Amino acid sequence: QVQLVESGGGLVQAGGSLRLSCVASGTIISIVSMGWYRQGPGQQRQLVATLNSGHATNYADSVKGRFTISRDNAKNTVFLQMNSLKPEDTAVYYCNSRLYSNIGSWDDYWGQGTQVTVSS
């Protein structure tokens, strides 16, 4: 009953910027955290950045200082601003949300992914 939809991916040259968006819709009581993960060619899915309900952030070392995660609570939307992009940032980026859709325990939800390709 909850859906996450990512947008904003594309092709960009090294040193460029992209801004990813993810909108959560459906029955949402509260959001515990939202974040971004990515899976590059020949790699496993890995953490990029997370943002919890207390506004604490967590970044992978490889993106720290270049990427910024933010959230619009009113619109149930999370953003990932990506600057100074490198070819190694090329991956499918997935939105994740840990939230309450019913009273009780939280559940994790995932978007379908959006492709980011950085050329050298």
Side-chain angles (χ1 to χ4, degrees):
Q1 61 184 20
V2 176
Q3 184 179 26
L4 305 181
V5 179
E6 304 102 328
S7 62
L11 175 64
V12 66
Q13 292 184 326
S17 298
L18 285 173
R19 185 175 187 249
L20 306 183
S21 299
C22 173
V23 180
S25 62
T27 303
I28 301 172
I29 297 175
S30 63
I31 297 176
V32 178
S33 65
M34 299 190 77
W36 292 93
Y37 294 72
R38 68 186 182 187
Q39 185 170 6
Q43 299 179 334
Q44 296 183 353
R45 190 175 301 185
Q46 60 185 9
L47 168 74
V48 177
T50 60
L51 176 64
N52 69 16
S53 59
H55 308 295
T57 58
N58 183 37
Y59 294 94
D61 288 341
S62 60
V63 307
K64 197 170 298 183
R66 299 187 298 118
F67 291 11
T68 302
I69 187 170
S70 61
R71 177 179 164 186
D72 184 338
N73 291 335
K75 299 183 182 296
N76 291 328
T77 302
V78 65
F79 306 95
L80 185 68
Q81 179 67 46
M82 304 185 294
N83 298 326
S84 301
L85 284 163
K86 304 175 181 179
E88 52 262 43
D89 295 319
T90 295
V92 177
Y93 284 71
Y94 297 91
C95 178
N96 166 266
S97 181
R98 178 169 291 178
L99 55 82
Y100 289 89
S101 61
N102 294 287
I103 299 297
S105 298
W106 44 256
D107 292 313
D108 281 313
Y109 297 88
W110 294 89
Q112 82 288 346
T114 185
Q115 176 70 48
V116 172
T117 302
V118 184
S119 62
S120 60

